[in-house]
Amino acid sequence: MSTDLKIVTGKARLSFTQNLFTPDDKGSYSLLMLIPKTDTDTVNKIKASIEAYKTNPKAVNIWGSKFLASFKTPLRDGDTERDTEKNPEYKGHYFVNVDTYTRPGVVNAQMQEIIDPSEVYNGCYGRITMVPA
């Protein structure tokens, strides 16, 4: 995929991190990230990447025109799509589910690989580099 699709987020809250180091039964590594609505830079990067992905020749070849008509954005609104009384962490945030079948690299602020899964847990903060695919 094109490098114009690559996104490096601002600081986001991580959740559902249990499959970040170990894949689920389908072989997928994943997490959910909560992005504050005030982080307009990250939100705009994600929206721009989504728009670029819709017209990317490789994406159109894989998904076809049906994909373009039925595409649902991965950037979702925590205030309207989640019960913020039961899950107050979603209030004032967008959320994105991120997954891959390739083991992601996980590094600390000094860019050293994190190998201990207990260092990345639900509720901690981090930056994510991702490419829609």
Side-chain angles (χ1 to χ4, degrees):
M1 288 287 160
S2 174
T3 57
D4 63 333
L5 300 176
K6 184 178 180 180
I7 303 162
V8 179
T9 70
K11 192 165 85 171
R13 187 172 180 186
L14 309 182
S15 191
F16 298 99
T17 59
Q18 63 270 19
N19 293 116
L20 186 57
F21 290 92
T22 306
D24 63 15
D25 57 351
K26 296 177 184 169
S28 178
Y29 298 88
S30 62
L31 64 84
L32 180 140
M33 65 176 174
L34 293 162
I35 304 161
K37 289 184 176 181
T38 56
D39 184 357
T40 55
D41 185 46
T42 295
V43 172
N44 290 336
K45 284 181 194 177
I46 292 171
K47 287 179 179 179
S49 182
I50 291 167
E51 289 307 309
Y53 182 70
K54 287 180 181 180
T55 58
N56 182 285
K58 288 184 181 179
V60 172
N61 187 42
I62 293 168
W63 298 99
S65 59
K66 196 176 203 181
F67 159 78
L68 298 175
S70 63
F71 183 72
K72 182 180 176 186
T73 180
L75 183 67
R76 300 172 60 195
D77 190 333
D79 290 319
T80 60
E81 295 190 44
R82 291 293 187 256
D83 183 344
T84 56
E85 287 186 24
K86 288 183 181 178
N87 302 101
E89 65 273 12
Y90 286 90
K91 187 173 183 158
H93 289 80
Y94 288 106
F95 66 98
V96 177
N97 291 306
V98 183
D99 67 354
T100 181
Y101 287 104
T102 305
R103 187 178 188 277
V106 183
V107 297
N108 63 19
Q110 291 75 37
M111 300 301 290
Q112 296 172 327
E113 183 178 12
I114 296 174
I115 54 176
D116 181 358
S118 70
E119 292 184 45
V120 182
Y121 50 87
N122 294 335
C124 75
Y125 289 84
R127 297 180 193 276
I128 308 296
T129 301
M130 60 184 171
V131 178

